[in-house]
Amino acid sequence: MNNIKEQQREELHKAIWNIANGLRGSVDGWDFKQYVLGMMFYRYISEHLTNYINKQQRGAGEDNFDYANFSDEEAIAAKSEIVSAIGYFILPSQLFCNIRKNAAQDENLNETLEGVFKAIENSANGTRSEEDFKGLFDDLDVNSKKLGNSVSQRNERLVKLIDGIGDMRLGNYEDNTIDAFGDAYEYLMGMYAGNAGKSGGEYFTPQEVSELLTRLATLGKTEVNKVYDPACGSGSLLLKSAKILGKENIRKGFYGQEINLTTYNLCRINMFLHGINFNRFDIKNDDTLIHPIHEDDEPFEVIVSNPPYSIKWKGDDDPTLINDPRFSPAGVLAPKSKADMAFIMHSLSWLATNGVASIVCFPGIMYRGGAEKKIRKYLIDNNFIDCIIQLPGNLFFGTSIATCIMVLKKSKKDNNVLFIDASREFIKVTNNNKLTEENIANIVKAFEDRETVKHFTYLAKHDEIEENEYNLSVSTYVEPEDTREKIDIKKLNADIKEIVAREDVLRKEIDKIVAEIKADNE
């Protein structure tokens, strides 16, 4: 089974790579990714709707019914019922498969597609799913000069894109469509995050890091009320919890907020691509620290996040923030030039009493002084920090920084903090380091066992942390193993003595030979 899965995955990746080569030189990097993901999304929702209707009709006795061959006039009668069930509506003539049939002959393909995308978004207007579909196709600009300078050039490339997406072997929706679409999405994210420079890490958390964060936050749980990410990016962390616990075991759904509009759209698309229905997620677009949108939905039992590192925020420039119930308990705001601790305080505030938050952190917040030290003191003195994990460097696209993970809990069983040095838990893959399943298992087991293991973990008491002036760097508590070769001084001295003695003998022998040569020459 695994071999078949890997073979299917390889074929899928090859198909994406071929599309990339076909459009190379016109649409690059992140822009290309937007076109592929947008067109994949269009194909996905077309097939999802078709399969939903076909299943209903065939179940009612129409064995050969196919919505793709249905007339628009007859289909429109069922629009409100369909939107109520799956959140959107597409006319049969506007389905991906039918647009593809005529794409090469359609001189106005760009206008056709633009009309289709607007119609899909507008189909949700005035319904519960309106916010989830609004603007989803904004980044798929079919009139962009990036596709070509003339309409004919743009349409030619759109045909290539549609055919490439249409040729992908994604299988039957009921069997494996979600996995296939989801895997294609993650492949594209990885493919372009790796070439996107610094910005890549802001949009994409590698799957292995997502896996570790989520397993830490869900350890011992079989179901949770809600999952939340205050800086959700493309949604990979939210979706990882669905994979680990099962979608049905996250009872009230997935919540996230993202400041970047493009990434916000990607996140919503990603939810759909992974089979999360519109009524099971609530993703918002705004600045979480200044305009948090999910106050009515908190607390959250699982919070997983990889917030942006050391970004600027209003901080004490906004006098109202010190009275914000998320930040006021610490008595001080995170520095204006480094918002890291603001994300941590926000997450703690919205964490359920029985919840766990696992957050990727910039290492500087573990030891810097000033306001950050005061916030660390608040977190430690109130026993909210459960564990600090030092990760290997070079795990994230676009940065070689060795980040940390902070695990927060509101109901700890002891007053200690576990420190884990996982800096050597990796394998090297091309230019990046990667966590293997074994590495992840080792870290999670150490987190679960909560014991001191020489050179790997240390369970520190509150007093020890206080003595270290609330420094939370793992290296302060876990002594690294000295892997240098150990030298026996006595043996070394004996060896040196023997070498000196040999040199003395050799010198005498050389002097003797030189004297004999001189005597012969005289």
Side-chain angles (χ1 to χ4, degrees):
M1 179 65 75
N2 280 338
N3 287 339
I4 294 172
K5 188 176 179 182
E6 285 305 314
Q7 188 179 343
Q8 289 177 342
R9 181 174 286 137
E10 195 175 319
E11 285 180 12
L12 190 65
H13 294 177
K14 189 175 178 182
I16 293 171
W17 189 251
N18 288 338
I19 298 171
N21 283 335
L23 296 180
R24 194 177 297 281
S26 53
V27 183
D28 295 319
W30 287 102
D31 292 320
F32 167 76
K33 175 177 56 60
Q34 300 295 94
Y35 283 99
V36 173
L37 289 175
M39 201 60 76
M40 282 184 68
F41 177 60
Y42 172 36
R43 176 181 165 183
Y44 169 81
I45 58 176
S46 293
E47 292 182 3
H48 179 45
L49 179 139
T50 300
N51 281 299
Y52 171 79
I53 297 173
N54 287 353
K55 190 174 182 180
Q56 301 291 319
Q57 295 301 113
R58 290 169 188 175
E62 295 186 55
D63 295 341
N64 297 316
F65 182 86
D66 186 356
Y67 183 70
N69 298 325
F70 209 44
S71 74
D72 287 356
E73 291 73 26
E74 291 177 287
I76 201 76
K79 178 181 175 181
S80 59
E81 182 186 337
I82 293 166
V83 173
S84 177
I86 64 174
Y88 63 97
F89 176 77
I90 306 175
L91 288 167
S93 66
Q94 294 181 326
L95 292 170
F96 176 89
C97 60
N98 288 331
I99 293 294
R100 184 189 180 191
K101 284 178 186 175
N102 303 312
Q105 289 77 43
D106 187 351
E107 292 180 0
N108 301 306
L109 179 61
N110 58 328
E111 292 178 13
T112 302
L113 288 170
E114 190 174 35
V116 170
F117 298 154
K118 280 182 181 175
I120 294 171
E121 288 184 20
N122 291 341
S123 72
N125 287 351
T127 72
R128 288 183 304 151
S129 59
E130 180 175 352
E131 287 299 312
D132 298 312
F133 277 85
K134 187 182 290 182
L136 272 181
F137 290 100
D138 282 358
D139 291 309
L140 210 172
D141 184 358
V142 291
N143 296 306
S144 172
K145 287 193 175 181
K146 291 174 182 175
L147 283 170
N149 290 320
S150 66
V151 171
S152 60
Q153 282 180 335
R154 293 197 278 274
N155 285 344
E156 184 183 332
R157 285 177 179 137
L158 284 169
V159 171
K160 280 186 181 180
L161 180 63
I162 291 170
D163 283 340
I165 299 298
D167 287 341
M168 285 183 180
R169 294 175 60 186
L170 299 172
N172 295 321
Y173 171 77
E174 298 294 338
D175 300 329
N176 64 2
T177 300
I178 293 169
D179 285 338
F181 273 108
D183 189 77
Y185 174 89
E186 289 173 357
Y187 174 71
L188 270 162
M189 290 298 290
M191 177 175 161
Y192 284 109
N195 295 323
K198 191 177 179 183
S199 64
E202 293 175 17
Y203 300 108
F204 185 69
T205 304
Q207 287 189 55
E208 298 77 24
V209 179
S210 297
E211 176 94 12
L212 174 60
L213 277 174
T214 310
R215 284 182 61 184
L216 293 169
T218 59
L219 186 66
K221 297 178 183 288
T222 55
E223 62 174 18
V224 298
N225 70 338
K226 307 166 193 169
V227 177
Y228 173 66
D229 185 346
C232 61
S234 58
S236 63
L237 284 166
L238 293 172
L239 290 163
K240 190 62 74 171
S241 58
K243 188 173 182 180
I244 288 173
L245 289 176
K247 282 181 291 189
E248 68 283 358
N249 293 320
I250 299 166
R251 297 187 302 275
K252 297 181 180 177
F254 307 82
Y255 296 77
Q257 191 164 333
E258 172 54 42
I259 193 169
N260 181 287
L261 180 62
T262 296
T263 319
Y264 158 69
N265 286 335
L266 286 179
C267 184
R268 291 185 295 159
I269 287 175
N270 205 6
M271 290 289 148
F272 286 115
L273 292 184
H274 282 77
I276 310 291
N277 203 22
F278 75 93
N279 56 5
R280 297 274 292 137
F281 70 81
D282 188 359
I283 309 298
K284 299 298 185 188
N285 173 223
D286 212 328
D287 185 335
T288 302
L289 299 181
I290 307 301
H291 301 119
I293 296 177
H294 293 104
E295 293 107 324
D296 295 337
D297 303 302
E298 60 101 356
F300 300 98
E301 197 173 338
V302 168
I303 297 178
V304 281
S305 191
N306 177 20
Y309 309 141
S310 301
I311 60 164
K312 294 177 181 178
W313 76 307
K314 285 187 176 180
D316 57 19
D317 278 350
D318 182 343
T320 65
L321 286 174
I322 193 60
N323 298 316
D324 189 309
R326 297 172 297 156
F327 309 126
S328 59
V332 66
L333 294 171
K336 286 182 290 187
S337 60
K338 302 174 182 71
D340 309 68
M341 280 297 189
F343 281 104
I344 287 169
M345 289 298 295
H346 167 83
S347 297
L348 177 66
S349 176
W350 286 13
L351 185 63
T353 306
N354 66 332
V356 182
S358 57
I359 304 165
V360 178
C361 302
F362 184 80
I365 69 166
M366 302 298 174
Y367 59 79
R368 288 190 297 235
E372 290 177 317
K373 181 179 177 181
K374 290 177 183 175
I375 296 172
R376 289 198 304 273
K377 183 178 187 303
Y378 164 76
L379 294 170
I380 291 294
D381 287 350
N382 288 276
N383 202 28
F384 292 133
I385 297 183
D386 186 65
C387 182
I388 303 290
I389 302 168
Q390 177 63 60
L391 293 174
N394 218 26
L395 283 179
F396 293 84
F397 297 108
T399 178
S400 59
I401 295 167
T403 55
C404 308
I405 294 174
M406 181 183 288
V407 182
L408 300 171
K409 290 182 181 178
K410 284 186 174 175
S411 302
K412 287 172 60 182
K413 294 178 182 176
D414 59 39
N415 199 31
N416 306 324
V417 176
L418 179 67
F419 292 88
I420 302 175
D421 182 0
S423 59
R424 295 171 65 188
E425 292 286 340
F426 70 91
I427 61 167
K428 192 154 190 68
V429 179
T430 60
N431 295 325
N432 281 80
N433 294 332
K434 184 176 179 179
L435 297 172
T436 65
E437 287 185 16
E438 184 181 355
N439 296 141
I440 293 169
N442 290 343
I443 297 167
V444 172
K445 186 176 188 306
F447 175 70
E448 184 175 21
D449 291 347
R450 209 166 173 75
E451 296 172 350
T452 295
V453 177
K454 195 173 182 182
H455 306 309
F456 185 40
T457 62
Y458 186 80
L459 193 61
K461 292 181 169 57
H462 175 273
D463 292 347
E464 292 177 80
I465 297 173
E466 188 177 7
E467 285 170 15
N468 283 310
E469 298 187 347
Y470 297 94
N471 185 325
L472 298 180
S473 296
V474 172
S475 59
T476 303
Y477 303 91
V478 182
E479 183 185 355
E481 186 176 0
D482 189 350
T483 56
R484 294 174 300 177
E485 184 182 352
K486 292 180 181 177
I487 298 170
D488 185 334
I489 296 298
K490 286 184 179 179
K491 186 175 183 303
L492 180 61
N493 285 335
D495 288 345
I496 291 171
K497 192 174 180 181
E498 186 179 339
I499 290 167
V500 169
R502 284 180 186 168
E503 282 183 344
D504 192 46
V505 171
L506 283 170
R507 202 172 283 112
K508 286 176 181 177
E509 288 292 328
I510 290 168
D511 288 345
K512 186 178 176 183
I513 292 167
V514 169
E516 288 176 354
I517 291 170
K518 279 183 179 179
D520 288 343
N521 288 336
E522 290 174 358

